[in-house]
Amino acid sequence: MSSAPDDPLRPEAAEGSDSSDSSGGAWATADFVVGRGVLLVIGPIIVALFWVFGALPNWGAAALGGFLCVVAVVFLARLRSRETGEGAEGARVLVVGGGYAGLVAARALQARLPGGTRGGRHLGAGTATTGIAGITVVDPQAHMTYQPFLPEASAGAIEPRHLTVPLRRALRRCDVITGSVAAVDDASRRAVVSLPDGGTREISYDVLVVAPGTAPRRLPIPGLEERALPFRSVTDALALREHVLSRLDAAASTTDPSERRRLLTFTVIGGGFAGLEVLGELEDMTRRAAKHQPGYVAEEIQWVLLEAAGRIMPEVSPALAARVHAQLLRRGIEVRVGATITSAHGGTVVLAGGPTFTTDTIVVAAGSVPNPLLERTDLPLDSRGRVRCATTLQVRDRAHVFTAGDCAAVPDVTVPVPREGDPVTTAPTAQHAVRQARLLARNVDAFLAGRLLRGYRHKNSGAVAGLGRRRGAAQIGPLRMTGWPAFLLHRSYHLWAMPTADRTVRIALDWLVSGLLGRDLVAVGRRDAAPLPDTDAPPTVVPPAEVEEPVAGPQVPASSGPSEPSTGAIPTWGADPTATGSQRTATPTPDVTPARASATDSQGIPALQIAMTQSGGFETIREPHPSLPPFAEPFPAGSFSSDFSSFGAASGPDSGSFREPHPSFPSTPRGDDGPRAPYPSTSRPRHSLRDDHRSRSN
């Protein structure tokens, strides 16, 4: 399928093929040696240890040793044939989209490269061929997001990073390009990719796989675009979680009943599986988080579900949808079906022919549309914007172009074809995407090898949805269930469908930890920080005290060093510690703008006060507490005597005592046999054990 090396459209064809073949041979040798060689080294060691410790008899050790020798001979023979084998020139495959279908298809294709692994639920079966020379995957994100777990990530049950699969780690044998496909010219088999740095890159291909997925649907409602919160990525889930938790804290702090009602009203638009899952998980999270808030917060929380259709959950039967509807009403959730929104300006939701209410949280989960990238291609599209294809997943009139996933209009052969209109297509679900991606990889391999292609035929096995902790809904054939059995079925299926084993283990551990310790209900990225004070408002710094005349009393020379103010003079706020009395010294005032003067730090201290203190404009001494006595002067010389009986006595303002006595102490010293003063808190005298002993002895 490759063109000649002298093709002017692809001057790098020969070099690309050689590099791909050489890399494929290196990968083949590395995988084969590491995978089998480690077992051949560890096996004899384990057998020898069992034989030394008596766990194996002599004949058992000899039998296992002979078997390992035969395996080693086969290993060396296959390794020699791989090293001497010559790879044939293959086709270059371009995969547009690294979502669920794109990732599974690329993994299954790289498994069919020379030396690729076999088996696995996401790889499929088949023999390795040399029809593929290289695989290139293009996606705007460097990871794949498993969207069915986004509601649980937003509710704190799963670590958000564990929902993502790094493309370069999962597709180690593919060339992963982080960029957006700007245009596809299938006539010349070229694709133009816009890179993050603003440049472009042209990629040639022999086989094209189109799996860009879908994009969120935009509702033409005035004011909704400015107020609605999207829910399509991990970033959206984290932002929604922080927003909802911050509404609870803001409502618990406000004193306006109407404002609190607006903050505690949460609205979800869309009654499908996506809308019900995010509604159920977040409603359960808010009820649990409200237990740590004042009691009136939990009573005023109101969740509203708006659905334009006549019923919720169109993916299941009407009977199961009615049961789920009744359960939501019992949980206190207001469900409005057939509700058409006419306006959402400023958070005021106006319904056609219905009531009007205000809300601060609007989540849009009203379905999706095919990726707009498809409109920039020359591929045939149906009325809904999806790529037309056959049951073999080949695009109509383009045998070398394959498609799968939510953007593909794959005919559903399990449903009778209507007489008029387009044929029935498969639903955009995860089970169809993974099965179509595996079949796509097999058909690409068969197309390059000239074999017969298979058609896609799979009947929908059912649908499962999680509606909160230990709540769910499931329909599998004639079986319909709700509650914890459906919840376990929902988790089991999606855990099985999660690509890569390490992500599966991480999610299972997250469920175990959240089940034992509870979900983490902390918002760390608050979006509603308290606003700064108005810059035109006067500064909140305490005005300087007026200059007072120094009081009479002993003065201390300036050269004697810093000292305390004289007794009887109460220093004011910001007094100079080097001066006597309450006189303030003139200090330079730093240049402070009005905005800085009115701002405060995280502890509520005015910024002007901080700036003046650091620059020396304000002194760091503080005004004493009103309950404390005035400052006393230092001890004069000779104030201490050899007799310590008078230490702490209050003999006047110039006595030089260390501190004033407590008001409960007597004003004059007493002897051991003198009468005791009454205790301040009682009218009866306070006696010690020593006094009681003396009275008894007398």
Side-chain angles (χ1 to χ4, degrees):
M1 296 298 297
S2 298
S3 61
D6 56 352
D7 190 348
L9 295 179
R10 289 178 293 179
E12 75 283 3
E15 297 179 1
S17 299
D18 295 340
S19 61
S20 299
D21 292 341
S22 60
S23 63
W27 273 102
T29 304
D31 290 348
F32 199 73
V33 171
V34 174
R36 278 73 171 180
V38 172
L39 296 178
L40 293 178
V41 173
I42 297 177
I45 296 177
I46 296 177
V47 173
L49 291 177
F50 284 167
W51 177 73
V52 169
F53 289 100
L56 284 176
N58 295 337
W59 61 269
L64 288 178
F67 174 75
L68 292 177
C69 291
V70 173
V71 173
V73 171
V74 175
F75 167 73
L76 294 176
R78 294 187 61 185
L79 179 61
R80 182 177 180 181
S81 63
R82 285 181 175 237
E83 292 177 348
T84 58
E86 297 182 358
E89 182 181 5
R92 288 167 299 177
V93 180
L94 174 61
V95 180
V96 178
Y100 195 32
L103 174 65
V104 174
R107 290 189 69 199
L109 286 172
Q110 79 171 358
R112 285 174 165 78
L113 292 174
T117 58
R118 300 265 56 82
R121 64 176 184 271
H122 294 299
L123 302 181
T127 59
T129 64
T130 57
I132 303 175
I135 304 171
T136 303
V137 180
V138 180
D139 192 81
Q141 301 291 335
H143 59 268
M144 185 277 294
T145 303
Y146 191 72
Q147 295 185 0
F149 280 149
L150 279 179
E152 294 196 42
S154 63
I158 301 176
E159 173 65 27
R161 292 177 300 173
H162 297 168
L163 306 182
T164 62
V165 178
L167 296 180
R168 286 183 172 84
R169 181 177 179 181
L171 306 175
R172 293 178 296 178
R173 305 183 65 182
C174 300
D175 183 16
V176 179
I177 300 176
T178 303
S180 178
V181 176
V184 175
D185 185 7
D186 188 62
S188 59
R189 300 192 182 184
R190 283 182 173 183
V192 180
V193 180
S194 298
L195 303 179
D197 58 358
T200 58
R201 178 176 175 180
E202 218 175 73
I203 302 176
S204 302
Y205 60 86
D206 297 313
V207 176
L208 178 63
V209 177
V210 181
T214 58
R217 176 183 299 175
R218 297 183 180 272
L219 301 178
I221 300 176
L224 185 62
E225 189 70 20
E226 295 78 12
R227 302 290 303 182
L229 298 174
F231 195 72
R232 292 283 298 180
S233 62
V234 174
T235 305
D236 297 340
L238 289 176
L240 180 59
R241 168 187 171 85
E242 304 293 339
H243 176 81
V244 170
L245 292 178
S246 65
R247 299 305 92 187
L248 299 181
D249 294 336
S253 303
T254 186
T255 57
D256 187 0
S258 60
E259 177 67 13
R260 182 167 57 247
R261 191 180 307 109
R262 185 185 71 89
L263 293 173
L264 296 179
T265 302
F266 306 94
T267 305
V268 177
I269 300 177
F273 267 20
L276 285 177
E277 286 181 344
V278 64
L279 171 69
E281 292 289 345
L282 291 180
E283 190 273 341
D284 184 82
M285 182 191 72
T286 54
R287 297 297 180 186
R288 295 179 181 275
K291 296 179 180 179
H292 307 284
Q293 303 285 356
Y296 56 82
V297 173
E299 297 176 358
E300 297 185 14
I301 292 178
Q302 181 63 47
W303 282 87
V304 181
L305 176 64
L306 302 179
E307 171 58 37
R311 68 179 182 93
I312 62 174
M313 299 182 71
E315 299 88 351
V316 298
S317 63
L320 182 59
R323 291 174 55 184
V324 174
H325 192 155
Q327 292 179 0
L328 295 179
L329 295 178
R330 286 195 295 268
R331 292 170 61 176
I333 300 175
E334 183 179 354
V335 182
R336 291 183 176 273
V337 295
T340 304
I341 305 176
T342 59
S343 175
H345 286 293
T348 302
V349 180
V350 179
L351 302 179
T356 300
F357 61 93
T358 59
T359 178
D360 196 49
T361 305
I362 302 178
V363 184
V364 178
S368 58
V369 295
N371 198 304
L373 161 67
L374 302 177
E375 300 177 358
R376 300 192 295 268
T377 65
D378 56 353
L379 302 177
L381 306 179
D382 64 352
S383 58
R384 299 173 56 183
R386 299 178 300 174
V387 181
R388 294 180 179 271
C389 65
T391 56
T392 58
L393 305 180
Q394 289 176 300
V395 178
R396 297 290 178 89
D397 304 327
R398 312 288 175 91
H400 63 283
V401 181
F402 294 80
T403 184
D406 298 344
C407 68
V410 182
D412 192 352
V413 297
T414 62
V415 179
V417 180
R419 295 182 179 180
E420 298 179 358
D422 296 335
V424 180
T425 57
T426 57
T429 59
Q431 57 177 305
H432 284 298
V434 64
R435 288 173 172 84
Q436 290 172 5
R438 292 173 57 182
L439 178 64
L440 183 146
R442 182 195 178 280
N443 284 348
V444 169
D445 190 12
F447 171 75
L448 297 176
R451 299 195 305 267
L452 184 63
L453 278 65
R454 291 183 182 177
Y456 180 74
R457 181 185 179 89
H458 172 70
K459 187 176 182 179
N460 195 347
S461 301
V464 291
L467 304 178
R469 195 172 183 179
R470 294 190 294 272
R471 299 185 181 98
Q475 177 177 338
I476 304 176
L479 181 62
R480 302 176 182 87
M481 64 182 71
T482 57
W484 66 266
F487 175 75
L488 293 179
L489 194 60
H490 156 76
R491 282 194 166 183
S492 301
Y493 172 76
H494 287 295
L495 188 65
W496 173 87
M498 184 70 190
T500 69
D502 65 319
R503 296 304 181 189
T504 302
V505 174
R506 291 177 187 271
I507 292 175
L509 293 178
D510 288 342
W511 285 339
L512 179 62
V513 172
S514 63
L516 295 177
L517 304 180
R519 300 183 179 183
D520 194 1
L521 304 176
V522 178
V524 295
R526 294 297 174 86
R527 306 169 63 184
D528 60 336
L532 294 177
D534 189 5
T535 55
D536 298 332
T540 58
V541 182
V542 179
E546 297 181 358
V547 179
E548 300 177 0
E549 295 296 333
V551 296
Q555 303 293 331
V556 181
S559 59
S560 62
S563 62
E564 296 290 343
S566 60
T567 306
I570 301 177
T572 58
W573 182 87
D576 186 6
T578 62
T580 58
S582 60
Q583 179 73 26
R584 293 189 59 190
T585 58
T587 55
T589 303
D591 184 14
V592 182
T593 60
R596 186 177 179 183
S598 61
T600 58
D601 69 343
S602 60
Q603 302 298 329
I605 302 176
L608 177 61
Q609 178 180 344
I610 299 174
M612 298 291 288
T613 303
Q614 295 177 352
S615 61
F618 290 156
E619 292 77 9
T620 57
I621 188 170
R622 295 185 177 181
E623 184 178 358
H625 196 271
S627 62
L628 298 180
F631 289 108
E633 294 185 358
F635 294 103
S639 59
F640 290 101
S641 62
S642 58
D643 185 12
F644 290 91
S645 61
S646 63
F647 180 79
S651 57
D654 298 330
S655 61
S657 59
F658 181 73
R659 62 171 64 179
E660 295 292 336
H662 195 272
S664 63
F665 289 171
S667 58
T668 57
R670 62 171 181 83
D672 293 339
D673 297 331
R676 292 181 177 270
Y679 192 69
S681 61
T682 180
S683 60
R684 300 181 59 185
R686 182 183 180 186
H687 302 282
S688 63
L689 295 178
R690 186 176 62 178
D691 295 339
D692 294 344
H693 178 69
R694 288 181 179 180
S695 61
R696 292 176 183 178
S697 61
N698 294 333

